[in-house]
Amino acid sequence: MDIVADLHTHTLASSHAFSTLNEMVEKARCLGYRAMAVTDHGKALPDSPHEWYFHNITSLPTVLEDGFVLLKGAEANPIGRNGDLDMEDEILKSLDWVIAALHSKCISPLSFEDATQLWLQVAQHPYVDMIGHPEEGRWKFDYERVVPVFKQNNKIVELNGNSPVARKGNERNLRELLLCCKKYGAKIAVNSDAHSTYNMGQLGWAFALLEELAFPEELIVNTSFSRFHEELVLHGRPVASRFSP
């Protein structure tokens, strides 16, 4: 298995990242990818881009000169137990790909039940496409209750390539979450969460884990370009009409 589209990347528009958009796209091309989503952080994170960035990012081309597909997205932050996000629906609707992910600067640790309720609410959000790095223990939730709701609402669960570095000690949670996705047929995506070109493509450990768990490839949305395109159609993202698989 290998990926055809990295659906979680950052540029120096988020000032704790280190590469330009052009540099990230070029590295994705070198890795043989056919698409990439640029998903800089929502405004509740202290060093996120200005709101105007997300208004203007839609002016970038979708299909580049060699057929490479660039999705304009964001990594939004749930900021309360009710699942509210830190970005307005008007902006989220205009984007091609939206991640919802918890960050310690934006929300405190939650009880098991509060975290479960948060994700049950986020699962209902019409403009969230993917749940980012959801295995972290400070926000552990009831996988058996929430994963079927993710599946029902077409929310992709992320296997995040940066987790061994940024979220050490959560390996057991990650295994439990993936096995629950397998059990209920919830789809996942394998992404770098790269904050520089040097972080892209380092996903061997993730595919080894999926192989160990006998995770079905048909549930991984970004190992096939046609499956990736179908997912955008399923999510009602207009960008799907601008290219064909």
Side-chain angles (χ1 to χ4, degrees), residues 160-193:
N160 186 291
N162 200 34
S163 285
V165 175
R167 284 165 288 279
K168 292 180 180 178
N170 293 283
E171 294 81 6
R172 181 175 178 179
N173 291 345
L174 184 56
R175 286 172 175 270
E176 290 177 4
L177 179 58
L178 289 171
L179 286 172
C180 200
C181 290
K182 177 182 175 182
K183 176 180 177 180
Y184 291 107
K187 289 176 282 190
I188 72 166
V190 184
N191 302 305
S192 71
D193 192 5

Side-chain angles (χ1 to χ4, degrees), residues 1-214:
M1 290 188 287
D2 202 356
I3 69 170
V4 298
D6 194 336
L7 301 178
H8 189 165
T9 69
H10 297 278
T11 72
L12 49 71
S14 298
S15 60
H16 63 291
F18 301 95
S19 299
T20 67
L21 176 58
N22 285 349
E23 289 168 341
M24 297 294 282
V25 168
E26 185 57 31
K27 182 60 179 286
R29 285 187 175 117
C30 290
L31 290 167
Y33 301 167
R34 297 180 62 187
M36 187 189 91
V38 55
T39 52
D40 281 303
H41 287 282
K43 62 184 180 181
L45 212 64
D47 68 344
S48 64
H50 191 279
E51 181 180 338
W52 293 348
Y53 166 91
F54 294 104
H55 284 288
N56 199 45
I57 196 174
T58 57
S59 67
L60 294 174
T62 296
V63 182
L64 306 186
E65 60 275 6
D66 59 351
F68 187 90
V69 175
L70 178 63
L71 300 186
K72 283 78 74 177
E75 184 177 10
N77 298 284
I79 52 176
R81 290 165 174 79
N82 59 1
D84 286 346
L85 302 181
D86 64 338
M87 300 178 68
E88 292 77 13
D89 282 358
E90 175 190 4
I91 296 176
L92 298 176
K93 183 179 181 180
S94 72
L95 298 175
D96 302 323
W97 190 255
V98 173
I99 306 167
L102 296 171
H103 295 93
S104 60
K105 296 294 185 183
C106 306
I107 192 168
S108 301
L110 299 174
S111 70
F112 186 76
E113 181 58 28
D114 282 346
T116 298
Q117 290 301 321
L118 180 150
W119 285 124
L120 288 173
Q121 293 301 313
V122 171
Q124 309 297 326
H125 198 293
Y127 306 127
V128 169
D129 301 291
M130 186 172 74
I131 310 301
H133 48 74
E135 76 275 6
E136 192 160 355
R138 74 184 85 183
W139 301 294
K140 179 74 182 291
F141 60 96
D142 190 334
Y143 303 148
E144 287 286 335
R145 287 169 62 190
V146 175
V147 167
V149 181
F150 284 161
K151 172 181 167 57
Q152 179 182 355
N153 289 276
N154 299 316
K155 306 307 180 195
I156 306 304
V157 176
E158 182 182 51
L159 174 51
N160 186 291
N162 200 34
S163 285
V165 175
R167 284 165 288 279
K168 292 180 180 178
N170 293 283
E171 294 81 6
R172 181 175 178 179
N173 291 345
L174 184 56
R175 286 172 175 270
E176 290 177 4
L177 179 58
L178 289 171
L179 286 172
C180 200
C181 290
K182 177 182 175 182
K183 176 180 177 180
Y184 291 107
K187 289 176 282 190
I188 72 166
V190 184
N191 302 305
S192 71
D193 192 5
H195 287 63
S196 78
T197 58
Y198 301 105
N199 304 132
M200 297 182 75
Q202 301 177 17
L203 301 172
W205 72 270
F207 286 109
L209 176 59
L210 292 171
E211 184 176 358
E212 177 187 334
L213 299 178

